[in-house]
Amino acid sequence: MTKGREERLGKGLGALLGEYLDAEAPVDAAEIRTVRLEEIRPNPYQPRKEFQPEELKELADSIRENGLLQPLIVRPRSSGMGGWELVAGERRLRAVSELGWQEVPALVREVDDQTLLVLALVENLQREALGPLEEAEGYKMLGESFGLTQGEIARAMGKDRSTVANTLRLLQLPPSVRSLLADGVLTPGHVRPLLTVEDQVRAGELARNAVKGGWSVRQMEEEVRGDQRRAKSKPAPKGRSQDPMVVALQEELRNALGTRVILRYGRKGKGVIEVPFLGPEDFERVFLLLTGREASEVVD
């Protein structure tokens, strides 16, 4: 990170973090202005994707009872667009919207895009509001949109570089594993060993087995090591190699369905697609992916 960019980022954090992350930080009433809700646009760099309805209801009830204790922080929208863009206070904005407010108190600050993303990440991380994948996506955006290295991201977020690197690696997991992580049924510690599993379908199977069996992190590590030992000792299959196109299509189907799909070609271009499943629950999962319908909709 260049000195100038680091100073700009540091100035933005130092000037803003205390104002909205510290509930005790004083705010000059003269700086607060009233802004119409319809003029506020969401933070385009908001890393948090899920907001629990129960959480928002509790906040709305508190605001109804006690008022809005902290103003929102907004910045002017791009030149010529008019209105405001949210810097901090996404939960508060959603809560007062639910209450039917037309106007809200706000502090106006000049914040560049890079600082805006860092502020949103810090706010959510300090409140433990981000899931591991949302955190990873935020770090990825800092790298791709602003050209920050992992070391620069780590310094900006007050974390070790290894922590940032390990979080970013979660985005390399197969979709089926990321889904279990996002749902909270597996922890980052559970899924990190799966990063060493080359077969994405097998990684998905191990993840589902971990959920079903209630594996600990250590058990997952042992299962992955055992799986890799068995794979190395298994003799290579004999016979002619498959058509590369068939292999590619088979792999796409495996990734899409999260199971070990097999394409068997016969004569004259005919063939069979085998879609195995691990049990009734897994069958319903595959059925939903193939048809777009829940099994309960078909069978009463």
Side-chain angles (χ1 to χ4, degrees):
M1 184 186 293
T2 65
K3 183 178 179 182
R5 185 170 66 180
E6 188 172 21
E7 286 177 349
R8 288 198 303 274
L9 180 59
K11 181 179 179 182
L13 289 170
L16 288 170
L17 285 179
E19 294 179 356
Y20 71 93
L21 294 180
D22 183 357
E24 302 302 323
V27 175
D28 187 345
E31 294 185 276
I32 301 175
R33 61 188 299 171
T34 300
V35 175
R36 291 188 61 79
L37 256 66
E38 63 183 20
E39 297 177 351
I40 302 176
R41 297 294 177 266
N43 178 348
Y45 298 108
Q46 170 60 251
R48 189 177 181 187
K49 308 303 180 186
E50 299 292 334
F51 291 83
Q52 298 300 323
E54 301 83 4
E55 176 185 304
L56 292 176
K57 183 179 183 304
E58 288 180 6
L59 180 58
D61 290 343
S62 174
I63 293 173
R64 183 188 294 110
E65 182 71 22
N66 305 303
L68 189 62
L69 301 181
Q70 280 190 295
L72 305 182
I73 297 181
V74 297
R75 69 175 183 174
R77 295 187 73 196
S78 302
S79 178
M81 298 184 69
W84 312 97
E85 199 165 67
L86 189 67
V87 173
E90 178 89 19
R91 292 171 65 250
R92 280 169 278 160
L93 179 62
R94 289 174 180 246
V96 297
S97 297
E98 288 292 325
L99 292 173
W101 286 24
Q102 301 299 312
E103 298 177 330
V104 66
L107 288 168
V108 179
R109 292 289 184 264
E110 294 289 342
V111 182
D112 62 28
D113 289 348
Q114 180 175 313
T115 304
L116 182 62
L117 174 55
V118 174
L119 290 170
L121 280 167
V122 171
E123 179 186 35
N124 282 292
L125 288 172
Q126 287 207 352
R127 294 193 171 115
E128 299 182 351
L130 289 181
L133 291 175
E134 291 174 326
E135 183 179 347
E137 288 288 356
Y139 295 161
K140 180 182 177 183
M141 191 180 297
L142 281 171
E144 293 184 350
S145 299
F146 304 109
L148 270 64
T149 66
Q150 291 183 4
E152 290 168 345
I153 295 170
R155 287 195 294 274
M157 302 305 300
K159 291 180 175 287
D160 293 333
R161 183 187 176 282
S162 59
T163 300
V164 171
N166 285 331
T167 301
L168 281 167
R169 290 181 69 210
L170 297 176
L171 298 176
Q172 301 171 15
L173 291 163
S176 58
V177 178
R178 293 203 303 269
S179 177
L180 294 172
L181 179 60
D183 290 343
V185 294
L186 289 178
T187 68
H190 280 101
V191 300
R192 284 198 182 98
L194 298 175
L195 288 164
T196 64
V197 179
E198 294 183 4
D199 186 336
Q200 292 196 347
V201 175
R202 180 56 183 159
E205 291 176 355
L206 286 167
R208 290 190 294 275
N209 289 342
V211 174
K212 187 176 181 180
W215 293 354
S216 65
V217 172
R218 182 175 293 275
Q219 282 177 292
M220 175 66 90
E221 293 170 346
E222 292 173 352
E223 288 289 338
V224 169
R225 284 195 293 268
D227 208 61
Q228 292 171 337
R229 285 195 298 267
R230 289 188 291 273
K232 288 180 180 179
S233 63
K234 187 177 180 181
K238 297 180 180 180
R240 66 182 181 87
S241 60
Q242 282 186 291
D243 185 321
M245 184 183 74
V246 174
V247 173
L249 293 176
Q250 179 175 269
E251 191 62 27
E252 270 310 298
L253 284 172
R254 289 182 172 187
N255 291 337
L257 298 178
T259 188
R260 199 178 292 274
V261 176
I262 300 173
L263 300 184
R264 299 190 187 279
Y265 271 81
R267 297 179 180 179
K268 298 181 180 180
K270 296 180 180 180
V272 174
I273 301 176
E274 295 183 0
V275 184
F277 52 89
L278 302 177
E281 291 182 1
D282 196 43
F283 174 72
E284 292 186 12
R285 180 189 64 81
V286 173
F287 180 85
L288 175 61
L289 289 171
L290 289 172
T291 67
R293 300 175 66 190
E294 296 282 356
S296 59
E297 297 176 19
V298 180
V299 182
D300 294 328

